[in-house]
Amino acid sequence: MLDTLIGLIPDDPVIIAVVVILLSLVFFAYLLLRRTVLEFRDGMRGDR
């Protein structure tokens, strides 16, 4: 099981860098959308 996972990782550092950058962009987009939705929900409620 672990050998197949290690075999899926490419040896090219450029591909690894691209994958890491894409994953971090998706993560930050998720955080931004989550914060925006929560702020919008609080603003619509009018609790101040």
Side-chain angles (χ1 to χ4, degrees):
M1 178 67 183
L2 194 58
D3 291 337
T4 57
L5 286 177
I6 292 174
L8 285 176
I9 298 173
D11 294 332
D12 195 3
V14 176
I15 297 176
I16 294 173
V18 168
V19 168
V20 167
I21 289 170
L22 284 175
L23 284 177
S24 61
L25 280 176
V26 168
F27 180 68
F28 283 122
Y30 162 73
L31 288 181
L32 183 70
L33 282 173
R34 195 179 126 237
R35 196 186 72 181
T36 303
V37 168
L38 289 177
E39 293 284 329
F40 181 73
R41 196 184 304 156
D42 288 343
M44 289 299 286
R45 225 182 293 156
D47 296 338
R48 292 185 179 214

Short mmCIF file of all heavy atoms in Angstrom, two decimals:
data_model
loop_
_atom_site.label_atom_id
_atom_site.label_comp_id
_atom_site.label_asym_id
_atom_site.label_seq_id
_atom_site.Cartn_x
_atom_site.Cartn_y
_atom_site.Cartn_z
N MET A 1 0.84 -1.20 0.00
CA MET A 1 0.00 0.00 0.00
C MET A 1 0.87 1.25 0.00
O MET A 1 0.70 2.15 -0.80
CB MET A 1 -0.90 -0.04 1.25
CG MET A 1 -1.78 1.16 1.39
SD MET A 1 -3.02 1.20 0.06
CE MET A 1 -3.82 2.72 0.43
N LEU A 2 1.83 1.29 0.93
CA LEU A 2 2.69 2.47 1.03
C LEU A 2 3.62 2.57 -0.16
O LEU A 2 3.94 3.66 -0.63
CB LEU A 2 3.51 2.40 2.33
CG LEU A 2 4.20 3.72 2.74
CD1 LEU A 2 3.16 4.82 2.91
CD2 LEU A 2 4.98 3.52 4.02
N ASP A 3 4.03 1.41 -0.69
CA ASP A 3 4.91 1.43 -1.87
C ASP A 3 4.20 2.02 -3.09
O ASP A 3 4.81 2.74 -3.87
CB ASP A 3 5.40 0.00 -2.19
CG ASP A 3 6.35 -0.50 -1.11
OD1 ASP A 3 6.94 0.35 -0.43
OD2 ASP A 3 6.48 -1.72 -0.96
N THR A 4 2.92 1.72 -3.24
CA THR A 4 2.19 2.28 -4.37
C THR A 4 2.02 3.78 -4.20
O THR A 4 2.07 4.53 -5.18
CB THR A 4 0.82 1.60 -4.51
OG1 THR A 4 0.11 1.76 -3.30
CG2 THR A 4 0.98 0.14 -4.84
N LEU A 5 1.82 4.25 -2.97
CA LEU A 5 1.70 5.69 -2.74
C LEU A 5 3.01 6.40 -3.05
O LEU A 5 3.02 7.47 -3.66
CB LEU A 5 1.28 5.97 -1.29
CG LEU A 5 -0.18 5.66 -0.95
CD1 LEU A 5 -0.44 5.92 0.52
CD2 LEU A 5 -1.12 6.50 -1.80
N ILE A 6 4.11 5.80 -2.64
CA ILE A 6 5.42 6.40 -2.92
C ILE A 6 5.69 6.38 -4.43
O ILE A 6 6.29 7.30 -4.97
CB ILE A 6 6.52 5.65 -2.13
CG1 ILE A 6 6.35 5.91 -0.63
CG2 ILE A 6 7.91 6.08 -2.59
CD1 ILE A 6 7.27 5.12 0.25
N GLY A 7 5.22 5.36 -5.11
CA GLY A 7 5.42 5.28 -6.54
C GLY A 7 4.62 6.33 -7.31
O GLY A 7 4.99 6.71 -8.41
N LEU A 8 3.54 6.82 -6.71
CA LEU A 8 2.72 7.82 -7.40
C LEU A 8 3.36 9.20 -7.33
O LEU A 8 3.05 10.06 -8.14
CB LEU A 8 1.33 7.90 -6.76
CG LEU A 8 0.40 6.74 -7.10
CD1 LEU A 8 -0.92 6.87 -6.34
CD2 LEU A 8 0.12 6.67 -8.59
N ILE A 9 4.25 9.42 -6.35
CA ILE A 9 4.90 10.73 -6.22
C ILE A 9 5.92 10.89 -7.34
O ILE A 9 6.81 10.05 -7.50
CB ILE A 9 5.58 10.87 -4.84
CG1 ILE A 9 4.52 10.77 -3.72
CG2 ILE A 9 6.32 12.18 -4.73
CD1 ILE A 9 5.12 10.71 -2.34
N PRO A 10 5.81 11.97 -8.15
CA PRO A 10 6.78 12.15 -9.25
C PRO A 10 8.15 12.55 -8.74
O PRO A 10 8.28 13.17 -7.67
CB PRO A 10 6.15 13.26 -10.09
CG PRO A 10 5.26 14.00 -9.14
CD PRO A 10 4.78 12.99 -8.14
N ASP A 11 9.17 12.19 -9.50
CA ASP A 11 10.54 12.53 -9.10
C ASP A 11 10.90 13.96 -9.49
O ASP A 11 11.87 14.50 -8.99
CB ASP A 11 11.53 11.56 -9.76
CG ASP A 11 11.33 10.15 -9.23
OD1 ASP A 11 10.88 10.02 -8.08
OD2 ASP A 11 11.62 9.19 -9.97
N ASP A 12 10.14 14.55 -10.41
CA ASP A 12 10.45 15.88 -10.91
C ASP A 12 10.08 16.93 -9.86
O ASP A 12 8.92 17.02 -9.46
CB ASP A 12 9.67 16.13 -12.20
CG ASP A 12 10.20 17.32 -12.95
OD1 ASP A 12 11.20 17.90 -12.49
OD2 ASP A 12 9.62 17.67 -14.00
N PRO A 13 11.04 17.72 -9.39
CA PRO A 13 10.72 18.74 -8.36
C PRO A 13 9.79 19.83 -8.89
O PRO A 13 9.07 20.45 -8.13
CB PRO A 13 12.08 19.31 -7.96
CG PRO A 13 13.00 18.93 -9.06
CD PRO A 13 12.48 17.69 -9.67
N VAL A 14 9.79 20.07 -10.21
CA VAL A 14 8.90 21.09 -10.76
C VAL A 14 7.45 20.67 -10.60
O VAL A 14 6.60 21.46 -10.21
CB VAL A 14 9.25 21.34 -12.24
CG1 VAL A 14 8.26 22.32 -12.87
CG2 VAL A 14 10.67 21.85 -12.38
N ILE A 15 7.15 19.40 -10.88
CA ILE A 15 5.78 18.90 -10.74
C ILE A 15 5.36 18.97 -9.27
O ILE A 15 4.23 19.35 -8.95
CB ILE A 15 5.68 17.47 -11.29
CG1 ILE A 15 5.98 17.46 -12.79
CG2 ILE A 15 4.30 16.88 -11.02
CD1 ILE A 15 6.00 16.09 -13.40
N ILE A 16 6.27 18.61 -8.37
CA ILE A 16 5.95 18.67 -6.94
C ILE A 16 5.65 20.11 -6.53
O ILE A 16 4.69 20.38 -5.80
CB ILE A 16 7.12 18.08 -6.12
CG1 ILE A 16 7.25 16.59 -6.41
CG2 ILE A 16 6.89 18.30 -4.63
CD1 ILE A 16 8.47 15.97 -5.78
N ALA A 17 6.45 21.08 -7.02
CA ALA A 17 6.23 22.49 -6.68
C ALA A 17 4.88 22.96 -7.21
O ALA A 17 4.14 23.67 -6.52
CB ALA A 17 7.36 23.34 -7.23
N VAL A 18 4.54 22.57 -8.45
CA VAL A 18 3.25 22.98 -9.03
C VAL A 18 2.10 22.41 -8.22
O VAL A 18 1.11 23.11 -7.93
CB VAL A 18 3.18 22.54 -10.50
CG1 VAL A 18 1.76 22.69 -11.03
CG2 VAL A 18 4.15 23.36 -11.34
N VAL A 19 2.19 21.16 -7.82
CA VAL A 19 1.13 20.54 -7.03
C VAL A 19 0.98 21.24 -5.69
O VAL A 19 -0.14 21.52 -5.23
CB VAL A 19 1.41 19.03 -6.85
CG1 VAL A 19 0.47 18.42 -5.80
CG2 VAL A 19 1.26 18.32 -8.18
N VAL A 20 2.10 21.56 -5.04
CA VAL A 20 2.05 22.23 -3.73
C VAL A 20 1.42 23.62 -3.88
O VAL A 20 0.59 24.03 -3.06
CB VAL A 20 3.47 22.31 -3.12
CG1 VAL A 20 3.49 23.27 -1.95
CG2 VAL A 20 3.92 20.93 -2.70
N ILE A 21 1.79 24.34 -4.93
CA ILE A 21 1.23 25.68 -5.14
C ILE A 21 -0.28 25.60 -5.40
O ILE A 21 -1.06 26.37 -4.85
CB ILE A 21 1.96 26.38 -6.31
CG1 ILE A 21 3.37 26.75 -5.88
CG2 ILE A 21 1.20 27.62 -6.76
CD1 ILE A 21 4.25 27.22 -7.02
N LEU A 22 -0.71 24.63 -6.21
CA LEU A 22 -2.14 24.48 -6.49
C LEU A 22 -2.91 24.12 -5.22
O LEU A 22 -3.99 24.66 -4.98
CB LEU A 22 -2.36 23.41 -7.56
CG LEU A 22 -2.03 23.84 -8.99
CD1 LEU A 22 -2.19 22.65 -9.93
CD2 LEU A 22 -2.92 24.98 -9.42
N LEU A 23 -2.35 23.21 -4.42
CA LEU A 23 -3.05 22.83 -3.18
C LEU A 23 -3.16 24.01 -2.23
O LEU A 23 -4.19 24.22 -1.58
CB LEU A 23 -2.30 21.67 -2.51
CG LEU A 23 -2.51 20.31 -3.16
CD1 LEU A 23 -1.67 19.26 -2.45
CD2 LEU A 23 -3.97 19.92 -3.15
N SER A 24 -2.09 24.83 -2.12
CA SER A 24 -2.15 25.98 -1.23
C SER A 24 -3.14 27.02 -1.74
O SER A 24 -3.85 27.65 -0.94
CB SER A 24 -0.75 26.60 -1.06
OG SER A 24 -0.26 27.04 -2.31
N LEU A 25 -3.23 27.21 -3.07
CA LEU A 25 -4.21 28.14 -3.62
C LEU A 25 -5.63 27.68 -3.31
O LEU A 25 -6.48 28.49 -2.93
CB LEU A 25 -4.01 28.27 -5.13
CG LEU A 25 -2.88 29.19 -5.58
CD1 LEU A 25 -2.74 29.14 -7.10
CD2 LEU A 25 -3.11 30.61 -5.12
N VAL A 26 -5.89 26.39 -3.46
CA VAL A 26 -7.23 25.86 -3.15
C VAL A 26 -7.54 26.05 -1.67
O VAL A 26 -8.64 26.45 -1.29
CB VAL A 26 -7.31 24.37 -3.54
CG1 VAL A 26 -8.56 23.72 -2.98
CG2 VAL A 26 -7.27 24.24 -5.06
N PHE A 27 -6.54 25.82 -0.81
CA PHE A 27 -6.75 25.96 0.63
C PHE A 27 -7.06 27.40 0.99
O PHE A 27 -7.98 27.69 1.76
CB PHE A 27 -5.49 25.46 1.36
CG PHE A 27 -5.60 25.58 2.86
CD1 PHE A 27 -6.50 24.79 3.56
CD2 PHE A 27 -4.79 26.46 3.55
CE1 PHE A 27 -6.61 24.89 4.94
CE2 PHE A 27 -4.89 26.56 4.92
CZ PHE A 27 -5.80 25.78 5.62
N PHE A 28 -6.28 28.36 0.45
CA PHE A 28 -6.51 29.77 0.77
C PHE A 28 -7.83 30.25 0.18
O PHE A 28 -8.52 31.06 0.79
CB PHE A 28 -5.34 30.63 0.29
CG PHE A 28 -4.15 30.54 1.18
CD1 PHE A 28 -2.92 30.12 0.69
CD2 PHE A 28 -4.24 30.87 2.52
CE1 PHE A 28 -1.82 30.04 1.52
CE2 PHE A 28 -3.14 30.78 3.36
CZ PHE A 28 -1.93 30.37 2.85
N ALA A 29 -8.22 29.76 -0.99
CA ALA A 29 -9.52 30.13 -1.57
C ALA A 29 -10.64 29.62 -0.67
O ALA A 29 -11.64 30.32 -0.46
CB ALA A 29 -9.64 29.57 -2.97
N TYR A 30 -10.48 28.42 -0.12
CA TYR A 30 -11.49 27.89 0.79
C TYR A 30 -11.61 28.75 2.04
O TYR A 30 -12.72 29.08 2.47
CB TYR A 30 -11.14 26.44 1.18
CG TYR A 30 -11.85 25.96 2.41
CD1 TYR A 30 -13.21 25.67 2.36
CD2 TYR A 30 -11.16 25.81 3.61
CE1 TYR A 30 -13.88 25.24 3.49
CE2 TYR A 30 -11.83 25.38 4.75
CZ TYR A 30 -13.19 25.10 4.68
OH TYR A 30 -13.83 24.68 5.80
N LEU A 31 -10.46 29.14 2.61
CA LEU A 31 -10.50 29.99 3.80
C LEU A 31 -11.15 31.33 3.50
O LEU A 31 -11.95 31.84 4.30
CB LEU A 31 -9.08 30.21 4.34
CG LEU A 31 -8.42 29.00 5.02
CD1 LEU A 31 -7.03 29.38 5.51
CD2 LEU A 31 -9.26 28.50 6.16
N LEU A 32 -10.82 31.93 2.35
CA LEU A 32 -11.39 33.22 1.98
C LEU A 32 -12.90 33.13 1.78
O LEU A 32 -13.66 33.96 2.29
CB LEU A 32 -10.71 33.73 0.70
CG LEU A 32 -11.15 35.12 0.24
CD1 LEU A 32 -10.61 36.18 1.20
CD2 LEU A 32 -10.63 35.39 -1.15
N LEU A 33 -13.35 32.08 1.08
CA LEU A 33 -14.79 31.93 0.86
C LEU A 33 -15.51 31.67 2.17
O LEU A 33 -16.61 32.19 2.40
CB LEU A 33 -15.05 30.77 -0.11
CG LEU A 33 -14.80 31.10 -1.59
CD1 LEU A 33 -14.92 29.84 -2.42
CD2 LEU A 33 -15.80 32.15 -2.06
N ARG A 34 -14.91 30.88 3.04
CA ARG A 34 -15.55 30.57 4.32
C ARG A 34 -15.71 31.84 5.15
O ARG A 34 -16.77 32.10 5.72
CB ARG A 34 -14.70 29.54 5.07
CG ARG A 34 -15.44 28.90 6.22
CD ARG A 34 -14.57 27.87 6.93
NE ARG A 34 -14.55 28.20 8.34
CZ ARG A 34 -13.44 28.44 9.02
NH1 ARG A 34 -12.28 28.34 8.47
NH2 ARG A 34 -13.51 28.76 10.29
N ARG A 35 -14.63 32.66 5.21
CA ARG A 35 -14.69 33.89 5.97
C ARG A 35 -15.73 34.85 5.37
O ARG A 35 -16.49 35.49 6.11
CB ARG A 35 -13.32 34.57 6.00
CG ARG A 35 -13.20 35.63 7.07
CD ARG A 35 -11.90 36.36 6.94
NE ARG A 35 -11.93 37.23 5.75
CZ ARG A 35 -10.92 37.99 5.35
NH1 ARG A 35 -9.78 37.95 6.00
NH2 ARG A 35 -11.04 38.76 4.30
N THR A 36 -15.78 34.93 4.04
CA THR A 36 -16.73 35.82 3.39
C THR A 36 -18.16 35.40 3.68
O THR A 36 -19.01 36.23 3.99
CB THR A 36 -16.47 35.83 1.87
OG1 THR A 36 -15.12 36.20 1.64
CG2 THR A 36 -17.39 36.80 1.17
N VAL A 37 -18.43 34.10 3.59
CA VAL A 37 -19.80 33.62 3.86
C VAL A 37 -20.18 33.87 5.31
O VAL A 37 -21.30 34.30 5.60
CB VAL A 37 -19.91 32.13 3.49
CG1 VAL A 37 -21.21 31.54 4.02
CG2 VAL A 37 -19.81 31.95 1.98
N LEU A 38 -19.27 33.63 6.24
CA LEU A 38 -19.60 33.85 7.65
C LEU A 38 -19.82 35.33 7.94
O LEU A 38 -20.75 35.69 8.67
CB LEU A 38 -18.46 33.30 8.54
CG LEU A 38 -18.35 31.77 8.58
CD1 LEU A 38 -17.15 31.35 9.41
CD2 LEU A 38 -19.62 31.16 9.13
N GLU A 39 -18.98 36.21 7.38
CA GLU A 39 -19.16 37.65 7.58
C GLU A 39 -20.48 38.11 6.97
O GLU A 39 -21.19 38.93 7.54
CB GLU A 39 -18.00 38.43 6.96
CG GLU A 39 -16.66 38.18 7.66
CD GLU A 39 -16.56 38.91 8.99
OE1 GLU A 39 -17.16 39.99 9.12
OE2 GLU A 39 -15.88 38.41 9.89
N PHE A 40 -20.81 37.60 5.78
CA PHE A 40 -22.06 37.98 5.12
C PHE A 40 -23.26 37.53 5.94
O PHE A 40 -24.23 38.26 6.10
CB PHE A 40 -22.09 37.35 3.72
CG PHE A 40 -23.34 37.70 2.94
CD1 PHE A 40 -23.49 38.97 2.43
CD2 PHE A 40 -24.33 36.76 2.75
CE1 PHE A 40 -24.64 39.30 1.71
CE2 PHE A 40 -25.48 37.09 2.04
CZ PHE A 40 -25.63 38.36 1.53
N ARG A 41 -23.18 36.32 6.50
CA ARG A 41 -24.28 35.81 7.30
C ARG A 41 -24.47 36.67 8.55
O ARG A 41 -25.59 37.00 8.92
CB ARG A 41 -24.00 34.35 7.69
CG ARG A 41 -25.25 33.64 8.19
CD ARG A 41 -24.92 32.23 8.65
NE ARG A 41 -24.27 31.45 7.61
CZ ARG A 41 -23.49 30.40 7.86
NH1 ARG A 41 -23.26 30.04 9.10
NH2 ARG A 41 -22.95 29.74 6.87
N ASP A 42 -23.36 37.04 9.20
CA ASP A 42 -23.46 37.90 10.38
C ASP A 42 -23.99 39.28 10.00
O ASP A 42 -24.75 39.89 10.75
CB ASP A 42 -22.08 38.02 11.06
CG ASP A 42 -21.69 36.73 11.77
OD1 ASP A 42 -22.59 35.89 11.99
OD2 ASP A 42 -20.50 36.57 12.08
N GLY A 43 -23.59 39.79 8.85
CA GLY A 43 -24.07 41.10 8.42
C GLY A 43 -25.55 41.09 8.11
O GLY A 43 -26.26 42.05 8.40
N MET A 44 -26.04 40.01 7.51
CA MET A 44 -27.46 39.93 7.19
C MET A 44 -28.30 39.80 8.46
O MET A 44 -29.43 40.25 8.51
CB MET A 44 -27.73 38.73 6.27
CG MET A 44 -27.21 38.90 4.86
SD MET A 44 -27.93 40.29 4.01
CE MET A 44 -29.56 39.64 3.65
N ARG A 45 -27.74 39.17 9.48
CA ARG A 45 -28.48 38.99 10.72
C ARG A 45 -28.62 40.33 11.44
O ARG A 45 -29.61 40.58 12.11
CB ARG A 45 -27.74 37.99 11.61
CG ARG A 45 -28.71 36.99 12.22
CD ARG A 45 -28.00 36.03 13.15
NE ARG A 45 -27.09 35.15 12.41
CZ ARG A 45 -26.04 34.56 12.97
NH1 ARG A 45 -25.74 34.75 14.21
NH2 ARG A 45 -25.27 33.79 12.25
N GLY A 46 -27.59 41.18 11.33
CA GLY A 46 -27.66 42.49 11.96
C GLY A 46 -27.31 42.48 13.44
O GLY A 46 -27.66 43.40 14.17
N ASP A 47 -26.64 41.43 13.89
CA ASP A 47 -26.24 41.40 15.31
C ASP A 47 -24.97 42.22 15.48
O ASP A 47 -23.91 41.85 14.98
CB ASP A 47 -25.96 39.94 15.75
CG ASP A 47 -27.23 39.10 15.68
OD1 ASP A 47 -28.32 39.72 15.70
OD2 ASP A 47 -27.12 37.88 15.61
N ARG A 48 -25.10 43.34 16.16
CA ARG A 48 -23.90 44.17 16.38
C ARG A 48 -23.76 44.46 17.85
O ARG A 48 -24.69 44.80 18.52
CB ARG A 48 -24.01 45.48 15.61
CG ARG A 48 -23.95 45.21 14.13
CD ARG A 48 -23.93 46.46 13.36
NE ARG A 48 -23.84 46.10 11.94
CZ ARG A 48 -23.18 46.84 11.07
NH1 ARG A 48 -22.56 47.91 11.43
NH2 ARG A 48 -23.13 46.47 9.82
#
